[in-house]
Amino acid sequence: MMPKITYLVTSLLLISILSCDKWNTEKTGPGMNNLPLKSAQVKGLFEYLDSNTSGLNFVNNMPDSMAIYVFMNEYAFNGGGVAIGDINNDGLSDVYFSSTFESNRLYLNLGNMKFKDITQETGVNGGAGWKTGVTMVDINDDGLLDIYVCKSGQFRDPAYRANALYINKGNLKFEEAGAKYGLQDISYSTQSYFADFDADGDLDMYLVNHPLGWPKKHALDASQDASGNIIPIEDTFRVNVSDRLYINNDGRYVDRTKAYGVDNIAFGLSAAIFDANGDGYPDIYVANDYAAPDYLYINQGGKRFKKETDKYFHNIPNNSMGSDMLDANNDGRLDLFVNDMMPEKKTNG
């Protein structure tokens, strides 16, 4: 009997909301014109609700004065994340936003598209540091959604990068327990993905990380074999840089990155978890920016992973961004969608 796959699909919202005047100005429009939203633009399947109506007044403030940080940490302006889930089991979807430089926000769904900011009373503001991706997941299998917050940033004190895990205690009470569960990772993190990678009935975690420094983004060391095939030589510096795989061992997460064969170095921006070969085990596709190629890790019976990107793909994107799974042609099989930042045709001017 094939093992049952359990995994939670999450997404990293790589959007920074920028404004040169008031942060709470609600405008949109084509290009850089910053035109007010017109009623004709929202007719159809969706209805536009401004923050005064919904109560969702979160803004990821990215002031122009912080632009210099892009030269020290090129991922600083990737933006924050968003997670949607029912934290109090009332049948309504609540919303958690992560803020790069400021406090994260948790909004309780009151019904009828009305939301209330309950960040202060729940104590889930993300703490210090640069917050990135966020995931809602029932990590302790108690029927309540918990919140895992990723962090990055070039800090002298790595404690500012310690990822936060907020355990849902019920009645809108949370407790930070990253260290208790072994998930207070201090890597340069982008996003977390939970799935039962070893098929033992509980959730493990794959953490997408990235290195620092502009020189690494276009540098790809390589050699050639006797047939002339180019073989990449991966950087062996892995501290706080490589993606990490944490295996759930009776409620405490243990770093098994090297043992499972997913030790790497790349500017990771997202991952997609799915059963690529139909063997009943979750595999991992990692979307990487810059020089390093995307990775497809095929699960070897829950014991380790094998990188087999070339076996399954004839072509991969040049500069991968977000990724997700869908059945694009309704044939009952999941297809992979990856955003590529590289244009099909280079133009000047």
Side-chain angles (χ1 to χ4, degrees), residues 193-199 204-207 244-247 256-264 272-277 279-286 295-309:
Y193 298 85
F194 290 84
D196 187 7
F197 293 115
D198 59 352
D204 312 300
M205 185 188 76
Y206 188 86
L207 186 64
R244 314 306 303 180
L245 178 65
Y246 285 89
I247 297 298
R256 299 296 305 280
T257 305
K258 290 186 177 181
Y260 273 70
V262 294
D263 190 34
N264 59 44
I273 313 299
F274 66 111
D275 185 2
N277 56 358
D279 65 353
Y281 292 91
D283 308 302
I284 307 170
Y285 184 93
V286 185
Y295 302 139
L296 176 62
Y297 291 113
I298 296 298
N299 197 323
Q300 306 295 301
K303 304 300 182 182
R304 61 177 285 109
F305 286 87
K306 184 178 180 181
K307 190 190 301 182
E308 295 188 333
T309 317

Side-chain angles (χ1 to χ4, degrees), residues 318 340-348:
N318 284 285
D340 189 353
M341 190 175 176
M342 180 67 72
E344 292 185 11
K345 182 183 294 185
K346 294 183 179 181
T347 59
N348 298 320

Side-chain angles (χ1 to χ4, degrees), residues 133-162:
V134 57
T135 304
M136 284 187 178
V137 55
D138 184 5
I139 204 165
N140 53 1
D141 197 26
D142 64 353
L144 298 171
L145 284 178
D146 311 300
I147 303 173
Y148 189 72
V149 179
C150 293
K151 298 184 182 182
S152 187
Q154 193 169 358
F155 299 101
R156 290 184 178 179
D157 185 353
Y160 287 107
R161 286 196 309 274

